[in-house]
Amino acid sequence: EAGVAQSPRYKIIEKRQSVAFWCNPISGHATLYWYQQILGQGPKLLIQFQNNGVVDDSQLPKDRFSAERLKGVDSTLKIQPAKLEDSAVYLCASSSWTSGVGEQYFGPGTRLTVT
Amino acid sequence: DQQVKQNSPSLSVQEGRISILNCDYTNSMFDYFLWYKKYPAEGPTFLISISSIKDKNEDGRFTVFLNKSAKHLSLHIVPSQPGDSAVYFCAVTYHNAGNMLTFGGGTRLMVKP
């Protein structure tokens, strides 16, 4: 079974530029999560999708961040315009109804550096 | 306001000895607790979990203990192996949370040969 795929793995941009990240969850996983992990901290949930609907986006900075999961499969997370404090690893995770409580499968992440 | 705290950013132990990683939480509404392990350049992977109806759960060399009155959980690794060197995150959730997790800041474990 293929794991969660993310691209790109690394991205360097200047502040005020835009950037997009892509995630393909494990096949059949209805729930998809985007996390932001700042260096030295734990992952922080940005948004959770159930199929193509948003379950929770309370911690997503909606003035600059947006996310979509149009067909209930893969997802994109966009930042526009980027700020220096957006430098972090962006992790995508997925889970299914058969997953254990709290058990999520993470991709390798995209490391974003904003200069 | 951090709801989940791992007060030790790093821990170093000798191979074969016990590693004890600690985690404290503030909200008594949390009723499911997990540990994730993360190697460099990889995403976190699920390690072990415990529900609030238990005070101990064991899986091979890994045991998680839960003290609800103290709002404290710990992960014991016995015996520790060099391959256990990684960052360990505790995570919490509650039954109506839709599987959403709140993570602690992590503890970097180094197991010396």
Side-chain angles (χ1 to χ4, degrees):
Chain A
E1 179 182 73
V4 176
Q6 290 188 248
S7 68
R9 292 295 310 274
Y10 305 91
K11 189 75 177 178
I12 301 174
I13 62 172
E14 295 182 353
K15 60 184 179 184
R16 291 187 288 275
Q17 286 187 322
S18 63
V19 64
F21 312 125
W22 174 82
C23 172
N24 191 24
I26 292 173
S27 177
H29 280 197
T31 310
L32 184 147
Y33 315 79
W34 282 103
Y35 289 87
Q36 179 192 59
Q37 186 182 8
I38 293 172
L39 186 65
Q41 299 181 19
K44 183 183 85 171
L45 180 69
L46 293 176
I47 188 168
Q48 177 181 347
F49 292 95
Q50 180 75 22
N51 295 309
N52 59 350
V54 175
V55 173
D56 186 276
D57 63 357
S58 57
Q59 299 194 88
L60 187 74
K62 297 180 187 63
D63 58 333
R64 298 184 300 107
F65 286 64
S66 64
E68 61 183 14
R69 193 183 184 201
L70 291 176
K71 296 183 179 179
V73 181
D74 56 353
S75 175
T76 56
L77 175 70
K78 297 179 182 177
I79 308 175
Q80 182 178 11
K83 293 185 176 181
L84 295 176
E85 59 260 36
D86 298 332
S87 294
V89 175
Y90 290 85
L91 294 161
C92 178
S94 68
S95 66
S96 77
W97 66 274
T98 61
S99 302
V101 176
E103 189 172 345
Q104 300 176 13
Y105 298 83
F106 284 82
T110 296
R111 179 176 296 278
L112 174 68
T113 302
V114 183
T115 63
Chain B
D1 182 27
Q2 286 184 285
Q3 297 193 74
V4 185
K5 287 186 180 179
Q6 294 178 252
N7 291 319
S8 299
S10 65
L11 175 68
S12 180
V13 301
Q14 205 67 33
E15 180 179 6
R17 305 294 291 269
I18 184 172
S19 296
I20 300 176
L21 295 92
N22 296 301
C23 178
D24 297 295
Y25 60 97
T26 57
N27 193 333
S28 57
M29 195 167 59
F30 296 129
D31 58 8
Y32 217 85
F33 308 88
L34 305 95
W35 286 94
Y36 276 78
K37 176 179 177 179
K38 185 181 183 305
Y39 291 118
E42 295 182 12
T45 55
F46 169 74
L47 186 59
I48 192 169
S49 63
I50 187 169
S51 75
S52 59
I53 62 173
K54 295 184 176 181
D55 54 19
K56 175 183 173 181
N57 188 28
E58 191 172 349
D59 183 2
R61 296 185 297 113
F62 303 90
T63 303
V64 57
F65 295 91
L66 176 64
N67 183 333
K68 289 188 292 293
S69 60
K71 296 190 182 68
H72 178 85
L73 66 153
S74 61
L75 175 68
H76 293 208
I77 307 174
V78 183
S80 301
Q81 300 174 353
D84 296 329
S85 297
V87 177
Y88 290 79
F89 294 99
C90 66
V92 302
T93 188
Y94 58 96
H95 65 280
N96 284 334
N99 219 34
M100 286 190 295
L101 295 175
T102 301
F103 283 87
T107 296
R108 181 177 302 276
L109 174 66
M110 293 164 284
V111 180
K112 299 178 180 179

